[in-house]
Amino acid sequence: MTRAICTYCASGPVEESYLELASQVGAGLADRGWGLVWGGGNTSMMGAVARATRRGGGSTVGVIPKALMSRERADRDADELLVTDTMRERKRLMDERSDAFLTLPGGLGTLEELMEVWTSGYLGMHDRPVVLLDPLGHYDGLLSWLQELPPGFVSQQALQHLVITRDVESALQACAEPL
Ligand code: AMP
């Protein structure tokens, strides 16, 4: 089955372990015949995941706000590059085009994207997998904080809605599984 996987990841770091992880995800998507939906930028992990997807023969759909085309180096090699007027429009189109959401290490932008699909998922507003791939322990502090909050803040049901994985294969498998 062909699937399109929305991948959120960092636009800044250039450390090899992060770029390699993003490349492995792109290669894994292409191996399965799946496509990538991403933020359309060519920098850091965002660029690495898109290049690796295309190298493997997979298709890439980038969605980028006009105002970020220079800052995030809009990827002209994308199979489709959708340019939006606003960030909200970007997120709407990424959502519409995707069968699952996969988050890799990232910064504030990535976190914001993850939180939106995670919260809307556990509230029942969509039923697509929300998967975190974190072999490097990037999110350990955040996850511990969420788990240790006093009762009533974050339910077990909400926590369990996020599928946390430590390797690329498990992450991609989780993207294919119904909730
Ligand atoms: P970062 O994780 O901060 O490196 O950002 C990763 C991606 O998230 C970049 O393409 C940012 O443009 C994007 N981003 C930043 N802020 C937001 C936001 N409010 N909503 C959606 N995406 C965002």
Side-chain angles (χ1 to χ4, degrees):
M1 179 185 33
T2 297
R3 292 178 79 73
I5 309 299
C6 184
T7 302
Y8 303 129
C9 59
S11 60
V14 292
E15 208 217 298
E16 194 49 44
S17 53
Y18 289 99
L19 301 183
E20 176 56 27
L21 178 66
S23 298
Q24 285 174 14
V25 168
L29 291 176
D31 278 351
R32 286 166 174 75
W34 295 351
L36 172 73
V37 175
W38 95 119
N42 203 4
T43 58
S44 182
M45 296 176 73
M46 292 178 69
V49 70
R51 284 191 298 275
T53 304
R54 286 195 293 268
R55 248 192 328 269
S59 81
T60 55
V61 177
V63 189
I64 191 163
K66 210 182 297 167
L68 293 181
M69 286 186 76
S70 157
R71 180 188 169 125
E72 295 188 358
R73 286 203 254 128
D75 189 340
R76 308 277 176 188
D77 294 328
D79 296 277
E80 273 183 80
L81 186 66
L82 308 175
V83 179
T84 65
D85 286 328
T86 65
M87 189 63 96
R88 283 173 196 274
E89 173 86 349
R90 175 201 233 181
K91 291 202 294 187
R92 185 178 67 75
L93 285 178
M94 289 173 77
D95 180 296
E96 277 178 16
R97 301 290 295 256
S98 303
D99 299 301
F101 302 96
L102 174 60
T103 299
L104 279 56
L108 288 178
T110 304
L111 258 188
E112 202 273 348
E113 293 167 315
L114 165 64
M115 290 301 167
E116 178 169 333
V117 294
W118 184 5
T119 51
S120 56
Y122 87 74
L123 291 170
M125 292 171 176
H126 72 81
D127 60 2
R128 290 162 287 172
V130 181
V131 181
L132 186 73
L133 169 58
D134 190 18
L136 305 167
H138 184 77
Y139 292 105
D140 285 356
L142 172 72
L143 295 173
S144 302
W145 178 73
L146 291 173
Q147 281 155 7
E148 287 162 15
L149 287 171
F153 281 98
V154 182
S155 68
Q156 279 306 311
Q157 182 215 355
L159 288 172
Q160 283 164 7
H161 197 87
L162 180 67
V163 183
I164 300 169
T165 60
R166 296 283 183 188
D167 65 89
V168 174
E169 284 301 308
S170 310
L172 294 177
Q173 193 178 327
C175 286
E177 280 166 7
L179 291 179

